């Protein structure tokens, strides 16, 4: 791996690997590992933390190592046109953040040109060792590093998703438009942190091209 330099004076070293294996004509499993080390300025210059009765610019450690391990399995049920996908991801880093993310997805074919999908994702993490909602003013050890980044706090979340996809052939289009795919995605995220809940909608159009 090679370092990359950014305008924030941050070096990033990253390594990623994955492998998949067919267990039969309708089943595939896979695992992946993602490791990265960041060295340099990692605070947000526009964010401030509460220390005593004052606000001071946040200070994060200048080195962070991240590790993520993931596994997934896909199985296609031919007689019903159903695909079942299960996945799990474990994350940890040197700031003592640990996270677990199990996920289940079901995709159902409705004829040759249409499919529907449902997904549930659960997320839980503990907080970085230096994160607090409020820091004491007279404790130098506790205020060596301070942060107001909600993504470093302890929280859990649930994501529910529904997706519909259709091919252009359903509308009697021709050429590459017949193979174009239109997707509509609706998500509802429940988060027990400062961000709160959210409704997220996506629309995507994929058009194939030949070279």
């Amino acid at each position: 791996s090679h370092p990359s330099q950014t305008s924030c004076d941050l070096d990033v070293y990253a390594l990623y690997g994955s492998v998949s294996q067919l267990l039969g004509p309708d089943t595939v499993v896979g695992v992946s590992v993602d490791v990265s080390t960041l060295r340099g300025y990692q605070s947000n210059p526009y964010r401030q933390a509460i220390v005593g009765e004052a606000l001071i610019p946040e200070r994060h450690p200048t080195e962070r190592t991240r590790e993520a391990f993931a596994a997934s399995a896909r199985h296609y049920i031919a007689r019903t046109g159903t695909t079942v996908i299960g996945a799990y991801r474990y994350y940890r880093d040197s700031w003592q953040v640990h996270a677990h993310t199990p996920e289940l997805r079901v995709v159902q074919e409705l004829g040759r040109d249409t499919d529907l999908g449902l997904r549930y994702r659960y997320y839980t993490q503990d907080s970085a060792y230096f994160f607090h909602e409020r820091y004491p003013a007279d404790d130098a050890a506790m205020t060596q590093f301070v942060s107001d980044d909600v993504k470093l706090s302890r929280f859990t979340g649930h994501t529910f998703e529904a997706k519909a996809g259709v091919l252009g052939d359903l509308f009697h289009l021709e050429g590459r438009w017949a193979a174009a795919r239109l997707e509509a995605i609706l998500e509802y995220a429940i988060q027990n942190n400062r961000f709160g809940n959210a409704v997220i909608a996506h629309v995507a159009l994929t058009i194939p091209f030949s070279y």
Side-chain angles (χ1 to χ4, degrees):
S1 60
H2 303 280
S4 61
Q5 191 76 14
T6 72
S7 60
C8 294
D9 193 22
L10 179 67
D11 293 324
V12 180
Y13 301 80
L15 180 65
Y16 175 81
S18 66
V19 62
S20 59
Q21 176 66 48
L22 286 170
L23 300 183
D26 300 319
T27 306
V28 60
V29 297
V31 295
S32 66
V33 178
D34 189 352
V35 179
S36 63
T37 297
L38 297 82
R39 295 191 178 101
Y41 183 77
Q42 299 182 56
S43 307
N44 186 327
Y46 305 102
R47 194 160 49 213
Q48 296 180 317
I50 302 174
V51 179
E53 300 300 324
L55 292 174
I56 69 169
E58 74 174 14
R59 295 190 300 267
H60 287 176
T62 56
E63 183 166 333
R64 186 180 190 182
T65 298
R66 295 172 163 176
E67 300 173 343
F69 309 90
S72 64
R74 298 169 178 257
H75 179 66
Y76 178 66
I77 305 172
R79 68 178 181 275
T80 61
T82 306
T83 301
V84 180
I85 305 167
Y88 171 75
R89 182 177 184 267
Y90 172 69
Y91 169 89
R92 66 185 183 189
D93 65 27
S94 57
W95 293 0
Q96 297 180 16
V97 177
H98 303 84
H100 303 271
T101 315
E103 180 178 323
L104 179 63
R105 185 192 303 261
V106 178
V107 180
Q108 179 62 53
E109 297 175 358
L110 300 176
R112 189 170 62 91
D113 303 317
T114 307
D115 60 73
L116 297 176
L118 296 175
R119 180 175 75 106
Y120 170 70
R121 175 182 180 269
Y122 175 72
Y123 180 83
T124 181
Q125 76 167 45
D126 48 20
S127 64
Y129 70 90
F130 56 87
F131 179 87
H132 297 278
E133 294 288 343
R134 182 185 293 268
Y135 296 83
D138 56 352
D139 190 336
M142 184 173 289
T143 56
Q144 178 184 7
F145 303 116
V146 297
S147 177
D148 192 47
D149 187 352
V150 180
K151 297 186 295 296
L152 296 179
S153 67
R154 179 189 301 271
F155 70 94
T156 60
H158 307 265
T159 302
F160 303 89
E161 177 188 283
K163 179 173 68 172
V166 297
L167 296 178
D169 190 52
L170 181 68
F171 306 104
H172 308 291
L173 300 178
E174 298 180 352
R176 69 164 58 98
W177 291 102
R181 178 176 172 83
L182 176 66
E183 287 186 343
I185 304 170
L186 182 64
E187 294 183 355
Y188 180 59
I190 301 173
Q191 302 177 109
N192 66 339
N193 57 26
R194 196 186 309 158
F195 291 142
N197 302 341
V199 177
I200 307 164
H202 313 259
V203 176
L205 177 63
T206 304
I207 305 172
F209 289 91
S210 57
Y211 298 92

